Amino acid sequence: MVAPLRVGIAGLGTVGAEVVRLIEEQSRMLSERSGRGVRVVAVTARSKAKKRSLDLRGIDWAKSPLALASDPNVDCFVELMGGSGEPALSAIEAALKSGKSVVTANKALIARHGLRLAKAAEKHGGALNFEAAVGAAIPVIKTLREGLCGTGVNRVYGILNGTCNYILTRMEHEGLSFAECLKDAQRLGYAEANPSFDVDGHDTAQKLAILASLAFGTKVAQSAVYVEGISSIAPEDLRAAEELGYRVKLLGVAVRTAKGIEQRVHPTMVPKSSSIAQVMGVTNAVTIDGEGIPAITLVGPGAGGAATASAVVADIADVARGIRAKPFGRPVERLRDITKAPMERHEGGYYIRLMARDLAGTAATIATRLAEQKISLESIVQRHPEGVDANGAAKKPSPVPVILITYATSEDAVYRALEAVQRDKVISGRPQVIRIEKN
Ligand SMILES: NC(=O)c1ccc[n+]([C@@H]2O[C@H](COP(=O)([O-])OP(=O)(O)OC[C@H]3O[C@@H](n4cnc5c(N)ncnc54)[C@H](OP(=O)(O)O)[C@@H]3O)[C@@H](O)[C@H]2O)c1
């Protein structure tokens, strides 16, 4: 009879409390499935005195995360405190150095220090599992690291931030502005008081950097991810997308191109018929294009205590089974350097919304500037001001929205054409540009 795996948990918040509960509730199933009992023997958090709806009788309270990580009675250290630095970093490092296995849900820490920690795990023989760090309950890390071990990956992309998808879904369904939806998301607890980390794309960038490393064997480097958030998206973009057969999503995209690997986070038009376009509200999804197989899309809850705990407990069960996978799917020394791909060299289709001045020759000028850059159009929609004004007179000429969808071209060409159009003074304001991702 193998002795139970002794688990120490640092952090008893939204996720930590659910992990303690799930291990207790599913203890029999866990031991049947992993061939060994799993027991929480010690925990810690910032405040021992805090009231928690958890039964911690019979479980030791460690005086600090570091003390818990160094406790010889703990086999597996579970870090659920969060933060890209201390105390999580030193505690995980201490646990790994003493030969323990580590499970964490901390994307910020893995995106920043993942390689250093993976090196320590390799050197000392423990596991470093972080399934919950990307997409919470969606088993995307395992899919890339193990399920697709024998399949090359050409592209991995997804909706990795529920807050942004919730806001874009509400904007699309209710015609509301970004600011209105953000306020509602904050009221409902889907967005933080300071929403920048989510809506400006940085949360998605951390997760994408982790996925890209697993997919392409590159070093995790958040600094190599191009990032753009969703605050510039207007309801008219979502209406136009709908009419043209697209939806707008904040995507994280990592893709192998002839010029290298691109990692980018930005609002993206996706065909309405694609799997990713069906994903609404706070739900997350990841699509993986593997060589020689149709795309695989995984959809599920990307946040929440229970959903995240599901992945954390599965990682703990792997430790109990004795699985010690290389954290990034191959030895750290084999991971290749990656630099930020220059977005001006990005190639793809583009949605462009211009406010064209109602002057003779405007359409011809725009067409000429696009043609000079060898940009061809898949569609063009022009909305004329309708009807008469309040006095019954025909409406005065005013800027008219013109929406263009281009065939594949380079970002450089698009911006050169738009700069020329602006110099020609045939449009007012700044053009809106959204990249298109085809499935
Ligand atoms: N929540 C989600 O939906 C979700 C989804 C995916 C991944 N994650 C990740 O899971 C991790 C935990 O998130 P969470 O939402 O559970 O956070 P949380 O609710 O804020 O809980 C954090 C816990 O860590 C403890 N803690 C914080 N600083 C500490 C310190 N210096 N020393 C000891 N304990 C400390 C807190 O103690 P007190 O209770 O005493 O304050 C609390 O119990 C994060 O890395 C997060 O990114 C969360």
Side-chain angles (χ1 to χ4, degrees), residues 10-17 44-48 50 52 61 64-65 79-83 86-87 104-108 132-136 302-305 308:
L12 295 171
T14 309
V15 181
T44 193
R46 218 167 358 213
S47 157
K48 190 177 177 185
K50 193 171 183 175
R52 304 176 196 273
W61 185 276
S64 70
E79 185 280 306
L80 297 169
M81 298 177 288
E86 300 303 350
T104 178
N106 191 337
K107 68 208 158 215
V134 182
T308 312

